[in-house]
Amino acid sequence: MKKIEIKAFAKINLTLDVLGILDNGYHELSMVMQQILLCDDVLVKWTEAQSADKGSAGDPVDAGIKIQLSTNRKFLPTDDRNLAYRAAALMAEKYGKDKNGTIRIDIKKRIPVAAGLAGGSSNAAAVLHAVNKLWDLGLDVAALCDIGKTLGSDIPFCIMGQAAGNDVLKDDFRYDPLSCHCALATGTGTDLKPITGLKSHLVLSKPNIGVSTAEVYQGIDNMIITEHPDNDAMIKALAENDTKVLKKNLINVLENFTLNHYPIVMYTKNILQELCSTGCVLMSGSGPTVFGLCRNIGESKAICEKMLEHNRESFWTRTTW
């Protein structure tokens, strides 16, 4: 048996802009995505079958690759409804035709589910990395991203961040140009350009609700949005550590829908706005998680204690660098 454990990091959106609707019906996006230290642990084991039983005609019985998945969140599916399972199945289809054995995936989740933090996408990215490593495929980040984007639009960024953030992967991707902690994402979110990332402690707080991503994107189609982030200015601000310009462009246009239709998200943001001395507070993705940037680890811990009085899923963490 061979095994590897990958840290599946969450992400936040420092900006999120919707530019229009593409011919294929998807929304055209422009956003800055930042990896954070909050993560799930994804343990992947590959056990090669020693020998296949023989049928009456001498053919192997039950040959091929089996996939098993477990998680500490009992309400999550463990079959092909789970992105991590589908990631393993896709790798088996593409690279496992001559293999016989079992891919075992054990996920210890910390990232809130359906929270705008790409937890499921990050789990899938970790499985792609793990199978690449366990099977000695030698795929670079670009090749893994090409595979990942067929499963979900957040997966390529998670692949890039994990290549940079996991000690067990760093030697393989040390000189890979796409290994990074922060990126500008355009198109449907899968066209990615590495950029200088943010170094900051932060607090996350997720209200106890779910928000439909499809509902949010459909909702903003009928809204007039007056304030958009300047992503060029944000990229320059990150490179120059210009907090004033960063704060000005910390904008997520999806807030126009989610904050108005889910008052508890607005409530959470307002509380964080009062507590965070930086004044830098934003919803991540389509929500409902809101994050606030903090001046130091002490502030992030203190604010998290207060946010736990409102939302059980509140965390203090930091960006990765």
Side-chain angles (χ1 to χ4, degrees):
M1 180 185 71
K2 298 167 68 177
K3 63 181 180 180
I4 185 171
E5 185 169 270
I6 307 288
K7 292 186 180 301
F9 300 102
K11 65 84 185 169
I12 55 174
N13 294 93
L14 299 181
T15 69
L16 197 161
D17 201 7
V18 178
L19 306 180
I21 301 177
L22 300 168
D23 291 340
N24 60 10
Y26 288 96
H27 287 81
E28 183 180 6
L29 306 174
S30 180
M31 55 189 175
V32 174
M33 304 174 78
Q34 170 71 55
Q35 183 176 258
I36 62 175
L37 205 57
L38 179 67
C39 67
D40 297 338
D41 294 331
V42 180
L43 176 64
V44 181
K45 302 174 184 177
W46 166 244
T47 305
E48 192 166 0
Q50 296 302 310
S51 61
D53 295 331
K54 300 292 183 178
S56 58
D59 297 324
V61 174
D62 202 22
I65 296 172
K66 297 184 176 122
I67 299 168
Q68 300 173 347
L69 188 148
S70 68
T71 171
N72 61 332
R73 297 288 186 263
K74 299 303 181 185
F75 59 86
L76 291 177
T78 56
D79 53 20
D80 61 5
R81 292 171 294 169
N82 190 303
L83 266 179
Y85 186 104
R86 295 210 297 272
L90 185 55
M91 291 296 276
E93 179 186 341
K94 290 178 71 70
Y95 301 105
K97 289 183 171 61
D98 60 343
K99 299 184 183 298
N100 184 24
T102 301
I103 299 172
R104 171 76 191 183
I105 305 163
D106 295 295
I107 303 174
K108 181 180 180 180
K109 289 203 69 66
R110 301 183 189 88
I111 303 170
V113 175
L117 300 172
S121 295
S122 196
N123 294 163
V127 171
L128 297 179
H129 269 302
V131 175
N132 181 44
K133 186 82 170 173
L134 293 172
W135 287 356
D136 298 315
L137 299 176
L139 300 174
D140 62 12
V141 174
L144 288 169
C145 286
D146 282 342
I147 298 168
K149 68 184 180 183
T150 66
L151 294 167
S153 59
D154 283 340
I155 295 176
F157 174 72
C158 295
I159 289 168
M160 292 164 65
Q162 289 171 19
N166 273 277
D167 289 340
V168 294
L169 300 175
K170 281 182 179 176
D171 286 344
D172 295 331
F173 301 113
R174 190 176 305 277
Y175 303 107
D176 195 302
L178 292 180
S179 175
C180 66
H181 300 281
C182 187
L184 173 69
T186 54
T188 58
T190 59
D191 298 326
L192 295 154
K193 175 187 176 184
I195 59 174
T196 301
L198 174 68
K199 293 185 177 181
S200 178
H201 292 274
L202 59 110
V203 174
L204 302 168
S205 191
K206 176 188 176 289
N208 188 28
I209 60 166
V211 173
S212 165
T213 300
E215 178 196 14
V216 174
Y217 276 99
Q218 289 169 8
I220 62 166
D221 288 341
N222 299 315
M223 302 182 77
I224 297 173
I225 298 172
T226 58
E227 190 176 30
H228 297 264
D230 182 338
N231 281 325
D232 289 336
M234 175 60 88
I235 292 168
K236 189 170 185 288
L238 289 168
E240 298 176 356
N241 195 27
D242 187 333
T243 55
K244 183 178 179 180
V245 175
L246 185 147
K247 182 178 178 179
K248 179 182 177 183
N249 287 285
L250 202 68
I251 297 170
N252 176 351
V253 301
L254 300 185
E255 284 189 343
N256 287 275
F257 181 88
T258 304
L259 297 187
N260 286 314
H261 287 76
Y262 296 90
I264 193 170
V265 183
M266 174 72 87
Y267 178 72
T268 297
K269 184 178 181 182
N270 287 342
I271 296 173
L272 267 180
Q273 199 82 53
E274 292 176 3
L275 295 173
C276 289
S277 62
T278 65
C280 295
V281 177
L282 193 69
M283 184 182 77
S284 185
S286 57
T289 303
V290 179
F291 68 89
L293 303 184
C294 302
R295 297 194 185 279
N296 52 55
I297 189 172
E299 183 180 65
S300 68
K301 289 181 177 180
I303 293 174
C304 183
E305 284 298 315
K306 294 179 180 177
M307 292 309 300
L308 283 167
E309 298 173 8
H310 303 277
N311 298 323
R312 183 176 57 83
E313 290 187 291
S314 295
F315 306 85
W316 59 271
T317 184
R318 66 169 175 83
T319 59
T320 57
W321 55 73

